Amino acid sequence: MKLQQLRFVWEVARNDLNVSATAEKLYTSQPGISKQIGLLESELGVQLFARKGKHLTEVTLAGKAIIEAAGRVLAEVENIRRISSEFTDNQRGSLSIATTHTQARYALPPIIKQFIKKYPQVALHMHQGTPMQISELAAKRTVDFAIATEALELFGDLVMLPCYRWNRSIIAPLGHPVLERQPLTLEAVAEYPIVTYVFGFTGRSQLDQAFNEQGLEPQVVFTAVDADVIKTYVKLGLGIGIIASMAYDSRVDQELQALDASHLFEPSITKIGFRRGMTLRGYMYDFMNLFAPHLTRDRVDDALRADSRSTLDAMFSDIALPVH
């Protein structure tokens, strides 16, 4: 059994059993991958993949268990490489992050700028997606860090650390009647067509919960994953917008006015997560500390030793999270 064979079966499974795509990704040949998978199956005495002709059609029951174990082996190999790199050159490496558009567009730019200035030889890779896509990227070890607010139950295999709290604003074109509704209430908001985030994105669940608790039916006429898209359609008069407050900039969004809505909705908490057991390099600790200053190296290491989610949550219960 060779490490290369384990990598081949792991990557084939990650690439939806597409051997050609796997070969292209690994800069090798399709026949070479197929041959090594066959040799591994012969050695183990079981089929890892079911086949139809020359095509792989599904992962067998034995294959699922073996590929899962191969993933753990490959993760430990990567940890060994990281440990070695930390002692030989702790200023060079790579860092991959999966997050939503709102985090990538509004929360992360100043952090990325500081990080690149401090670690110019660390290659940064950003992946944007839905919470489900983000969790899958982390689970498949495609990324090092996952940053998310919604659907945190999808991240059960990750150590998720709280970073900051944030809330929402109501935005509307200048002169819109909702801007005169003071004090602003949910009933007033529910009177108008609403443009906001797709369900499952950027704190949408807290928004829906607030309306449900008041027995109100919001008139959501348009949804998007991108706050900039939401603002565009609010400017066109499609409705009033509900967005993360950090996504409104009075200098840029001069056609719009924002009303603070933090008294209407429960705050959301953005968290950063990584796989339990992953070796964190020095610059990874620094990135987390730049993003959330209370995440010191000692505190992150303490979190890694927590034996349950409740213990982890208790560790941060007394910390006043920054507000964005």
Side-chain angles (χ1 to χ4, degrees):
M1 185 186 308
K2 300 176 182 178
L3 187 62
Q4 182 191 51
Q5 293 171 332
L6 298 182
R7 186 173 302 281
F8 284 169
V9 298
W10 170 258
E11 292 292 346
V12 166
R14 285 176 59 193
N15 284 280
D16 298 321
L17 309 187
N18 189 324
V19 180
S20 296
T22 303
E24 184 176 347
K25 181 178 179 180
L26 297 179
Y27 303 101
T28 187
S29 68
Q30 180 178 343
I33 290 180
S34 298
K35 178 182 178 181
Q36 290 301 320
I37 291 176
L39 289 173
L40 180 60
E41 288 177 322
S42 296
E43 180 181 347
L44 297 175
V46 294
Q47 272 200 323
L48 305 181
F49 303 100
R51 293 165 171 81
K52 187 174 183 180
K54 294 183 178 180
H55 298 286
L56 306 182
T57 57
E58 63 178 332
V59 181
T60 65
L61 190 62
K64 289 178 181 178
I66 290 169
I67 290 169
E68 184 177 337
R72 292 194 295 268
V73 171
L74 294 171
E76 286 305 312
V77 170
E78 181 60 28
N79 281 340
I80 291 170
R81 290 197 178 103
R82 283 178 169 162
I83 292 169
S84 173
S85 297
E86 191 64 20
F87 282 95
T88 56
D89 187 355
N90 59 16
Q91 298 293 309
R92 188 188 302 270
S94 66
L95 177 61
S96 54
I97 302 161
T99 190
T100 61
H101 170 269
T102 297
Q103 302 298 327
R105 170 69 177 82
Y106 298 104
L108 283 169
I111 310 305
I112 298 295
K113 183 178 180 180
Q114 293 178 67
F115 183 84
I116 289 176
K117 183 177 180 180
K118 185 172 183 179
Y119 295 101
Q121 297 186 77
V122 173
L124 272 171
H125 307 283
M126 182 84 72
H127 302 258
Q128 293 182 51
T130 66
M132 181 172 290
Q133 289 168 336
I134 294 167
S135 68
E136 287 177 353
L137 287 169
K140 292 179 178 179
R141 302 178 176 88
T142 302
V143 298
D144 300 309
F145 289 155
I147 300 175
T149 301
E150 285 288 321
L152 294 176
E153 69 276 3
L154 297 173
F155 300 84
D157 293 336
L158 304 184
V159 180
M160 296 298 292
L161 307 178
C163 298
Y164 64 85
R165 297 178 184 271
W166 60 270
N167 217 309
R168 298 145 192 82
S169 290
I170 307 298
I171 58 170
L174 300 179
H176 192 285
V178 75
L179 301 173
E180 304 301 323
R181 305 294 289 269
Q182 297 295 335
L184 184 66
T185 64
L186 274 181
E187 289 80 3
V189 173
E191 291 178 14
Y192 302 97
I194 293 172
V195 182
T196 191
Y197 298 105
V198 173
F199 186 80
F201 266 83
T202 318
R204 173 68 189 271
S205 59
Q206 274 92 340
L207 186 154
D208 291 340
Q209 180 182 342
F211 283 108
N212 289 338
E213 288 177 351
Q214 295 294 320
L216 298 170
E217 187 73 30
Q219 305 175 52
V220 178
V221 296
F222 184 86
T223 61
V225 301
D226 183 330
D228 293 332
V229 172
I230 292 172
K231 289 187 286 186
T232 295
Y233 284 89
V234 171
K235 291 175 185 177
L236 290 175
L238 211 62
I240 62 175
I242 305 178
I243 61 173
S245 294
M246 71 181 89
Y248 174 78
D249 185 339
S250 60
R251 296 168 300 177
V252 176
D253 303 312
Q254 296 183 9
E255 299 174 54
L256 301 173
Q257 185 174 333
L259 297 176
D260 176 50
S262 59
H263 61 293
L264 302 180
F265 306 106
E266 287 294 319
S268 295
I269 298 177
T270 292
K271 295 189 176 186
I272 188 168
F274 51 87
R275 297 181 302 280
R276 190 175 297 279
M278 185 178 84
T279 296
L280 296 170
R281 296 192 60 187
Y283 60 77
M284 294 178 172
Y285 284 103
D286 281 355
F287 180 89
M288 285 188 280
N289 188 236
L290 286 171
F291 190 54
H294 59 278
L295 294 181
T296 61
R297 185 167 187 149
D298 287 344
R299 188 164 280 152
V300 171
D301 285 341
D302 287 343
L304 280 168
R305 289 189 284 269
D307 55 6
S308 68
R309 178 65 62 87
S310 59
T311 301
L312 182 60
D313 291 342
M315 290 174 54
F316 292 91
S317 60
D318 296 330
I319 295 175
L321 298 178
V323 178
H324 283 205

